Amino acid sequence: EAQVTQNPRYLITVTGKKLTVTCSQNMNHEYMSWYRQDPGLGLRQIYYSMNVEVTDKGDVPEGYKVSRKEKRNFPLILESPSPNQTSLYFCASRSGKGAQYFGPGTRLLVL
Amino acid sequence: AQSVSQHNHHVILSEAASLELGCNYSYGGTVNLFWYVQYPGQHLQLLLKYFSGDPLVKGIKGFEAEFIKSKFSFNLRKPSVQWSDTAEYFCAVGMDSSYKLIFGSGTRLLVRP
């Protein structure tokens, strides 16, 4: 089954404690991206990757890092989380200009 | 800068009413257009997409959308909504050769039984 998976689905952490949210897709898509979703703001792109070892900032990259060492994986790293990063995070992948497929989401609470 | 606007932030309808959600974008080049739906507690799922050809696109669950190039619009429609259509709906636009999709801020639809 074609899918995008994310882990963990729910996470509570404290300010400053580094965390990583994993994302994996099994569709051999070149393009992957991370979004955060906040009430009234819709989806905002954090980072994206055009292919292995190619990443770039989206609209709200501050406080986040990513890496793309393999085509299927695109982890999101919060080196020092802060409360304003409490949000719902979605990973997505896309092949060419086709439709974008989303993961199930990771709900993060930073205390 | 390119943008996507969804003017209706909240819509409340009764079952069997007709639905039309507006989506406008600001870009003069070639676009690929999408509508996504997010049911409560779930991730975004593709409802329908437009790349080229017939500007009237049919999607899943009885939804359709019409691309009007002159109006830079891609409105979503459904003739008769059901309670199960209660969800948030997002319009998204891909521009020219860019992989990036720009999303609207979403429209929350509540369908009353």
Side-chain angles (χ1 to χ4, degrees):
Chain A
E1 180 189 354
Q3 60 181 357
V4 179
T5 57
Q6 293 177 230
N7 282 292
R9 296 288 313 280
Y10 303 91
L11 180 59
I12 302 173
T13 190
V14 295
T15 298
K17 186 176 181 182
K18 181 179 178 180
L19 66 92
T20 299
V21 184
T22 64
C23 172
S24 183
Q25 50 97 2
N26 63 0
M27 294 168 278
N28 202 36
H29 287 169
E30 298 88 11
Y31 183 80
M32 297 184 74
S33 56
W34 276 102
Y35 295 86
R36 60 178 289 173
Q37 184 179 18
D38 301 288
L41 298 176
L43 278 86
R44 295 180 291 169
Q45 192 180 54
I46 302 170
Y47 267 93
Y48 65 94
S49 169
M50 300 286 284
N51 215 322
V52 175
E53 302 292 2
V54 181
T55 64
D56 208 346
K57 297 177 180 178
D59 301 313
V60 287
E62 294 77 21
Y64 304 95
K65 284 175 57 177
V66 292
S67 69
R68 188 92 181 272
K69 292 183 169 53
E70 305 165 281
K71 198 171 188 178
R72 63 182 291 125
N73 296 324
F74 190 46
L76 178 70
I77 303 155
L78 284 71
E79 294 266 1
S80 183
S82 61
N84 64 13
Q85 292 178 297
T86 291
S87 187
L88 178 58
Y89 292 87
F90 288 102
C91 180
S93 73
R94 187 181 186 200
S95 178
K97 286 173 241 175
Q100 189 153 255
Y101 293 87
F102 286 85
T106 295
R107 195 169 287 280
L108 173 65
L109 172 61
V110 183
L111 300 172
Chain B
Q2 297 93 350
S3 64
V4 179
S5 299
Q6 292 181 244
H7 303 294
N8 310 104
H9 298 295
H10 294 88
V11 173
I12 301 174
L13 295 173
S14 298
E15 276 196 314
S18 64
L19 170 72
E20 181 161 2
L21 301 182
C23 173
N24 289 88
Y25 62 92
S26 60
Y27 184 68
T30 303
V31 292
N32 301 310
L33 302 162
F34 307 86
W35 275 98
Y36 286 86
V37 60
Q38 185 179 30
Y39 298 104
Q42 296 189 26
H43 64 289
L44 279 80
Q45 302 169 45
L46 182 68
L47 263 183
L48 49 79
K49 58 183 186 253
Y50 171 82
F51 291 137
S52 63
D54 189 344
L56 185 61
V57 180
K58 294 196 183 301
I60 61 171
K61 305 188 181 189
F63 286 91
E64 65 179 30
E66 184 175 13
F67 172 46
I68 303 180
K69 190 174 181 179
S70 60
K71 294 185 178 181
F72 300 92
S73 70
F74 189 55
N75 292 355
L76 180 71
R77 300 194 292 248
K78 186 171 184 178
S80 176
V81 295
Q82 301 172 314
W83 175 79
S84 58
D85 293 324
T86 293
E88 189 160 15
Y89 293 81
F90 292 92
C91 179
V93 180
M95 299 168 186
D96 278 331
S97 58
S98 172
Y99 280 65
K100 182 177 179 178
L101 288 186
I102 298 177
F103 284 82
S105 56
T107 297
R108 282 186 186 270
L109 171 66
L110 172 63
V111 180
R112 291 184 169 148

